[in-house]
Amino acid sequence: MQKFNTHIVLENETLKSIATKYNLSSEALKKFHNDHCAIKEMILISLTDQKIIYIPRTATADKTKLVDFGPANRVIFNPQNMFLKYGVRITIENGDRKNEIKYDASVRWLKTENQLHFFEIDRISKLYIDEEEVNELADLLAYKTSKVLYPLYISTDESGKMHSVENTREYAERWNTVKEEIDKEYEGETVEEYCRKIKKVLDEPELLTELLKNDYFLRVLFLGIYGNYGKNYEIKRNEKFPIVKNPREANYEVRFEIDPLKDEYDQINIEGYGVLNDERSVDDFISGAPFSFIIEDNPVINNSGSFRIQFYLNGKTSLPESLYLECDIMLNEMKKISVMISRLEEN
């Protein structure tokens, strides 16, 4: 993320007049400019023929452009009365194979209790796979049976990170209604076997919770990007993501940066970049091993994967307007997950 802004020098402007415009001292402005410019553009005493002056990102004539941080440059998660609808697009790539899933979802804040925020998540549209409404038997069954999950109730912590699924015990009752609908439309041993597997999962709340935590929409929207960004406007942390089926998710080392100025659309920009940082080898991931079978004092870290995310938050509410995540890992071939979430305009 850019560490500075630029000021185009106008006729008759001086070092002092520019510094005053941005509420800086002449010496502070000169030092910042000289630290970021080429040698031939440096200011020695006063302006000579400089055409552009480098200024700090937080130095702006329009103070409404500054992000409203809390202490320690904290971005506060305040979802009270939140009710937003999002369009969701998930792309899954394995080598040359590529599939895309699309649907719309709503997110409604319910309450805040014991430092947790509670939300209702609902799927509010049909499901599309590769731009077509689902029509294959397997896809139809997956879509029909997924109805038992909605509305879904989850909780998050104060950073906006998903904490747990709160209504797993309701699903057994919902299943009876969904199963009746399926029985009216489909028949055969394949259908019955599929339904038996779904029922088994629904009867084990802990297993169901783990499966729902692999939901890409939930994991990205509730990634937990709220918190203290410090004097350098950045956070470094380990981020786990369910890009492969494994009891222990792949670990990425990620640096999140926030722009202290809102963009031209009055949005707050947060970017995250990282690489895979895991002791498990490619073979470990392929075999589903939750840890490396090779124990070493100084293990070789597998960094053959990348992580990138971009959040755009509403400049007034700090709630997500749109976001994009791209996560990949090299196995026998590259596997890549892309998730795009965009707020839908109200009709």
Side-chain angles (χ1 to χ4, degrees), residues 86 102-105 122-128 143 344:
Y86 293 100
K102 289 173 60 178
Y103 61 90
D104 296 340
D122 208 356
R123 186 178 290 169
I124 56 175
S125 74
K126 294 180 179 179
L127 185 71
Y128 293 84
Y143 174 59
L344 300 175

Side-chain angles (χ1 to χ4, degrees), residues 1-6 18-24 28-29 32 36 54-69 73 229-234 258-262:
M1 187 173 288
Q2 185 171 289
K3 302 297 183 184
F4 53 79
N5 283 337
T6 56
I18 296 171
T20 301
K21 180 176 183 178
Y22 295 106
N23 198 29
L24 298 169
L29 177 57
F32 187 89
H36 292 82
Y54 294 96
I55 60 176
R57 286 291 286 157
T58 52
T60 174
D62 182 1
K63 299 303 181 184
T64 65
K65 281 294 189 181
L66 291 169
V67 172
D68 186 17
F69 289 110
N73 285 333
Y229 281 80
K231 65 178 182 179
N232 294 322
Y233 303 104
E234 67 177 36
I258 186 168
D259 193 330
L261 288 184
K262 302 171 192 174

Side-chain angles (χ1 to χ4, degrees), residues 85-96:
K85 297 177 182 178
Y86 293 100
V88 184
R89 176 177 295 183
I90 300 169
T91 305
I92 303 172
E93 299 177 58
N94 286 284
D96 296 331

